[in-house]
Amino acid sequence: ATRAATQAARAANRTAEAQMQAAAAEPLIAAAEARIVGAAAALVLSPHGGNGSPAPSAAPGAAAGDDTPTMTDNLALPPAANLWPPNGAPNFTFASRNNAYFSVQNRGLELTIKKAIKQGCMANWTHGPLEVEIIFESTQAPTAPHFIQYQMEQLSNEGRWDEMYANKLRSATQLWDFSEFHCEHHRRVYGRRCDYMPLWLADPPEWQLPPSRHAKHTEALLFGGMNLQRQALCKQTLELGVRVHCSDNLWGDALSAHIYASKVVMVEHFFENAVLPVHRINQVLSRGVPVIVPHSADQKLDDTYGAMGVEFTEKGASLAEGVKALVSEHKRLGRAKWRSRRYNARKSRNLSPLCELLGRLQEDVEQRNRVIEAELLAAKEKEKEEAEPQLLRRPLRLGSVW
């Protein structure tokens, strides 16, 4: 009886302690629920394109009123109770949303980031809905203190690498590049961290394999800006008896139709010593069509894409001759087409390295905040010195008269 009474008293004490702990936790739970609901509201995109901004305009040449997936299509936002991070995700904004060249990549990257957040890639984030701007365009000035520069310029495009762009790269919270070869340059020249970010993580959902078999009316397609070198390439390819279509005015659905209708897409470097122009190559491979291109300055990137349907011209051979050989060798062309299917499989397999970089954003924001604070303090000190009377700062000389 004594033991039973003792056990009953202990049980009563434990019950009372649990009730006290639950009562103390109620305010914390309520605050956490409020933050989660606020984060969910911040993540819900408006029907005008997100964050109250106007809807992105169609790319030049795109058909009006088409059913191209919008930013909210194929995106199931998680319920508030499952949102990560619990303190609210950053408010990612996109400065190049209406850019003719990168609007689709802006939309695709936004969807991928939301997928990564849903999978817990930012579980350590504690800064709430802090605005973080993502910029593709080199000439676009940042509008937020924290921004990620997705560097897309070729190093050999010397006209873009001025001091203004260099300062922008140095001040970015994170610096991404589609080429590890480029990142090695940025680390050496700008003395800062640079991370390789595969551009396929920014592919939009409408870039996909054809829903049905397409007739191949064209043997080779070349699209993009036409300089004298590319015009000569089209002429040489045509003279070799290849059915070729060259255009600098293909966008949207028209571009998709021409890619589907081609056996191969040829890509010529616009600049000397350039790396692969993956912003063109990706939209071709994602549709199951192989690409042929000369080797680039980034051997590692060449090897990566060589395993996913990109054919390279033989050493000493012209691109026109390479195109002629490829379309004439049916088995080789078939193998290249089969390898191009690996592209979609690879980009959908995982979110690396995006997940790792989003997880590191917490640390990079704090580091950038310290730099900003130091710069503001230095600017205040300089302003204070300049405001002092010149006479008070001038050393007095013996015999001087006031």
Side-chain angles (χ1 to χ4, degrees):
T2 302
R3 285 197 300 271
T6 302
Q7 292 173 354
R10 289 175 178 172
N13 289 336
R14 286 196 296 269
T15 301
E17 290 176 359
Q19 291 175 345
M20 292 174 62
Q21 292 174 356
E26 284 182 1
L28 299 178
I29 295 174
E33 289 177 346
R35 288 197 301 269
I36 290 172
V37 172
L43 284 175
V44 174
L45 301 174
S46 76
H48 300 291
N51 303 320
S53 60
S57 59
D66 62 10
D67 57 352
T68 301
T70 62
M71 196 181 308
T72 54
D73 289 343
N74 303 319
L75 175 62
L77 290 176
N82 294 327
L83 272 179
W84 288 98
N87 291 317
N91 176 25
F92 288 105
T93 59
F94 293 81
S96 309
R97 188 183 299 279
N98 296 323
N99 183 279
Y101 294 100
F102 299 116
S103 60
V104 290
Q105 283 89 355
N106 276 270
R107 187 171 72 254
L109 182 59
E110 185 167 20
L111 291 171
T112 306
I113 287 176
K114 290 189 179 297
K115 180 180 178 182
I117 292 174
K118 183 179 178 181
Q119 292 186 9
C121 293
M122 299 196 74
N124 65 336
W125 182 259
T126 60
H127 291 288
L130 175 74
E131 181 180 0
V132 178
E133 191 174 30
I134 298 180
I135 306 174
F136 283 78
E137 178 61 47
S138 60
T139 57
Q140 175 72 49
T143 60
H146 293 286
F147 68 96
I148 298 171
Q149 180 66 44
Y150 203 151
Q151 203 294 117
M152 297 299 301
E153 298 291 349
Q154 296 282 351
L155 292 179
S156 49
N157 184 7
E158 297 179 356
R160 289 297 178 96
W161 293 91
D162 54 17
E163 190 60 28
M164 183 177 296
Y165 191 33
N167 290 334
K168 182 182 172 187
L169 297 181
R170 293 188 187 100
S171 61
T173 303
Q174 285 188 352
L175 174 59
W176 301 350
D177 202 297
F178 68 97
S179 165
E180 177 59 33
F181 176 79
H182 281 179
C183 270
E184 292 174 0
H185 168 271
H186 304 330
R187 297 178 194 121
R188 183 176 64 254
V189 174
Y190 303 117
R192 63 151 302 150
R193 178 164 182 160
C194 174
D195 294 283
Y196 166 63
M197 176 67 72
L199 191 60
W200 61 64
L201 290 174
D203 282 4
E206 63 264 30
W207 288 2
Q208 57 190 346
L209 297 176
S212 60
R213 190 178 182 87
H214 276 66
K216 301 296 184 181
H217 303 295
T218 305
E219 289 182 310
L221 169 68
L222 188 146
F223 65 93
M226 287 292 166
N227 56 9
L228 293 177
Q229 183 178 353
R230 289 180 175 178
Q231 293 175 19
L233 169 63
C234 292
K235 182 179 179 181
Q236 294 168 7
T237 309
L238 189 63
E239 290 173 349
L240 291 175
V242 178
R243 296 195 310 274
V244 62
H245 181 84
C246 299
S247 175
D248 60 355
N249 191 31
L250 286 177
W251 305 86
D253 293 341
L255 176 57
S256 297
H258 277 83
I259 292 175
Y260 287 140
S262 303
K263 291 183 178 181
V264 64
V265 172
M266 53 184 183
V267 175
E268 178 65 284
H269 297 299
F270 202 88
F271 301 98
E272 296 291 332
N273 300 318
V275 303
L276 292 180
V278 295
H279 66 292
R280 299 190 189 280
I281 294 174
N282 289 2
Q283 57 186 309
V284 178
L285 295 180
S286 63
R287 293 175 169 100
V289 177
V291 171
I292 184 168
V293 61
H295 279 284
S296 79
D298 189 340
Q299 184 61 51
K300 187 175 181 180
L301 195 62
D302 287 2
D303 293 341
T304 299
Y305 276 81
M308 299 188 299
V310 172
E311 291 283 318
F312 295 94
T313 55
E314 298 292 337
K315 187 175 182 179
S318 69
L319 182 53
E321 294 170 337
V323 171
K324 173 65 175 179
L326 181 58
V327 299
S328 301
E329 299 176 24
H330 300 295
K331 289 185 177 180
R332 180 187 170 197
L333 184 61
R335 289 194 299 269
K337 185 175 181 180
W338 178 81
R339 287 200 312 275
S340 70
R341 301 295 176 117
R342 297 178 182 176
Y343 175 81
N344 285 324
R346 179 164 187 166
K347 73 179 183 181
S348 62
R349 188 164 57 238
N350 59 61
L351 295 172
S352 181
L354 176 63
C355 191
E356 292 84 347
L357 294 181
L358 291 179
R360 207 190 72 217
L361 189 59
Q362 166 90 10
E363 174 186 343
D364 291 337
V365 163
E366 293 171 353
Q367 181 178 350
R368 181 60 187 159
N369 281 341
R370 290 191 290 270
V371 172
I372 293 174
E373 290 173 2
E375 291 175 346
L376 289 175
L377 181 60
K380 288 182 180 179
E381 290 295 330
K382 183 178 180 180
E383 183 180 352
K384 182 179 179 181
E385 290 179 3
E386 293 176 349
E388 292 178 356
Q390 186 70 19
L391 189 59
L392 294 180
R393 292 191 286 121
R394 184 188 305 162
L396 293 177
R397 293 174 297 179
L398 190 61
S400 61
V401 181
W402 288 82

